Amino acid sequence: MPIPSRAALIEHLVRTRIAGEVATPRDNNLSHYRKLANGDRHYWLGLELGDRWADEQDVLAVMAERCGVGDDPAHRVGQDTIDPELTVDALERMAARLRKAALDRQSVLLATGHPGGLLDVHRATAAALRAAGCEIVVIPQGLTADEGAVWQFADVAVLERGATLWHTHSPNPMAAILDGLAAAGRPQPGLVVADHGWAGCAGQRGLDVVAYADSNDPALFLGESEGTLEVVVPLDDHVRDPRYYDPMTAYLLAAAGLTGE
């Protein structure tokens, strides 16, 4: 995969709707912001937000700043956006953290609640980190959560049910991994690269976390704003073809110095 320039990547993100005018509609975004503000813990993604974000407009303000959704509270339906400049800015911050992990030979745990979209992004990141000398955390065997099994495929932790990799926002699979490591007397990861509740749970446990999040998953951006997560990359986390993420992954790994060149 050729490494795109910043300008070329931004054009690609907009063309494939990873950013720019994304598929997630405005009313869906606002509904999730409202439910989070009203205390629906499903939307907290494993973070403990208390009553700090009880005003929906405060959530919207953070999402406008960090994700690039429209900041007009009167805009209730129709098209919403992710700012591709913010996406690439966050990718570059994530790259800096991956570079540090490689230099320090840290142990890294990768996990996804969106295997249909982001599994290969995480897989390629794991392979590059291992090649650079990082330990990719092998999760304990026999873990379960949410009536499913917690497994690793291509070095990425996922939830499996009925021979199907599961789309999940739950923090419970990550909690099962971290508790399982502790029970086995093994150290916690030096870095977690994840999304959804996998990222939120790890951040709430005090681990270093970099993550991906969609415009309708505000909790991780709130966690970033509070310093619970180090970096959150805004993007549509399930576009039509997962290969659309390949140029983004190439840009990330090149910026992190993990291309082997």
Side-chain angles (χ1 to χ4, degrees), residues 6-260:
R6 180 184 174 103
L9 178 59
I10 287 173
E11 186 279 330
H12 173 80
L13 295 174
V14 172
R15 179 170 51 80
T16 58
R17 302 186 75 184
I18 294 172
E21 293 189 347
V22 292
T24 308
R26 177 69 167 189
D27 56 304
N28 181 266
N29 283 339
L30 294 183
S31 172
H32 287 203
Y33 305 169
R34 184 179 313 112
K35 289 173 181 176
L36 179 149
N38 288 340
D40 187 334
R41 297 180 71 87
H42 173 77
Y43 296 92
W44 288 14
L45 301 181
L47 294 169
E48 293 297 331
L49 302 177
D51 59 1
R52 299 186 301 279
W53 299 99
D55 187 334
E56 177 188 346
Q57 300 310 314
D58 290 341
V59 179
L60 175 60
V62 169
M63 293 303 293
E65 175 190 14
R66 294 179 178 268
C67 185
V69 302
D71 62 359
D72 182 1
H75 177 202
R76 308 300 299 177
V77 297
Q79 184 67 56
D80 214 340
T81 55
I82 292 174
D83 185 340
E85 297 280 356
L86 294 178
T87 302
V88 180
D89 287 347
L91 284 169
E92 291 172 353
R93 295 196 305 274
M94 180 183 281
R97 185 61 184 85
L98 296 179
R99 181 187 292 270
K100 181 179 186 301
L103 290 173
D104 294 346
R105 301 294 193 267
Q106 289 187 299
S107 62
V108 184
L109 173 64
L110 299 99
T112 186
H114 236 306
L118 298 178
L119 180 61
D120 204 50
V121 176
H122 291 299
R123 178 209 59 79
T125 304
L129 287 168
R130 174 180 280 112
C134 287
E135 172 196 353
I136 303 303
V137 174
V138 176
I139 69 172
Q141 292 183 311
L143 300 178
T144 60
D146 299 332
E147 302 180 347
V150 184
W151 298 111
Q152 273 176 308
F153 290 90
D155 288 325
V156 183
V158 293
L159 181 67
E160 185 265 350
R161 290 187 200 164
T164 300
L165 304 188
W166 208 256
H167 172 211
T168 177
H169 289 73
S170 173
N172 296 332
M174 178 59 80
I177 293 173
L178 300 180
D179 291 345
L181 291 171
R186 295 171 55 193
Q188 299 290 285
L191 177 66
V192 173
V193 184
D195 50 68
H196 283 181
W198 304 81
C201 174
Q204 189 62 44
R205 296 281 186 103
L207 301 179
D208 288 357
V209 180
V210 295
Y212 300 95
D214 210 329
S215 58
N216 62 356
D217 291 327
L220 298 188
F221 294 100
L222 301 182
E224 182 188 36
S225 75
E226 294 187 329
T228 310
L229 283 77
E230 291 193 42
V231 180
V232 180
V233 176
L235 82 179
D236 186 315
D237 56 15
H238 198 150
V239 293
R240 182 168 56 87
D241 187 340
R243 290 174 294 185
Y244 289 163
Y245 297 108
D246 289 353
M248 180 193 80
T249 307
Y251 186 92
L252 170 70
L253 298 181
L258 297 175
T259 59

